[in-house]
Amino acid sequence: MIAIRPYKAEDLSAITELLKDEGWTTLAADPDRFDLAMKGSNPALVALCDGEICGYTRCITDQVITLLVAELLVDGQLRGQGVGGKLLQAAHDLFPSTRMEMLATSTSKSYYEQKRFRPFYGFRKTYAE
């Protein structure tokens, strides 16, 4: 059984392990900074499978038009079992009038296409660049 609930600070270590397992070293490198990002995001949700954290999503929204999925990550051993879809649906259920947008990698492209997302073109730049 998969349960979805809001992020809590005590979830940080479990999510950090998921990040490390996935090789998302930038996010995992500074857990305190990542915790601040999770607390400042709306919504920030975790998925639990048998009471253990098995995924999360971190979103940003204006609550009217756009719901931006900043990250979506599911434990590699549980992919294909609906965890990611439940996280996305739970986030969108909170703001049903919004359009959901996200960036995707070449490896996640087929997942989002399967979920009926359509591609769009964008750019990214960090402050230091």
Side-chain angles (χ1 to χ4, degrees), residues 60-127:
I60 302 163
T61 186
D62 57 23
Q63 301 182 22
V64 180
I65 296 171
T66 303
L67 173 63
L68 174 67
V69 178
E71 290 120 34
L72 172 67
L73 181 59
V74 174
D75 184 319
Q77 296 179 22
L78 295 174
R79 290 186 190 147
Q81 297 183 32
V83 177
K86 287 183 187 290
L87 281 163
L88 291 175
Q89 189 63 54
H92 213 180
D93 286 348
L94 293 170
F95 305 99
S97 70
T98 61
R99 63 183 181 211
M100 185 177 269
E101 298 181 351
M102 68 194 66
L103 298 173
T105 64
S106 59
T107 57
S108 62
K109 178 180 179 283
S110 62
Y111 172 79
Y112 294 112
E113 288 174 338
Q114 171 201 21
K115 297 287 182 194
R116 299 184 52 203
F117 285 85
R118 59 188 177 277
F120 67 98
Y121 186 70
F123 296 90
R124 175 181 277 172
K125 181 179 185 225
T126 63
Y127 189 78

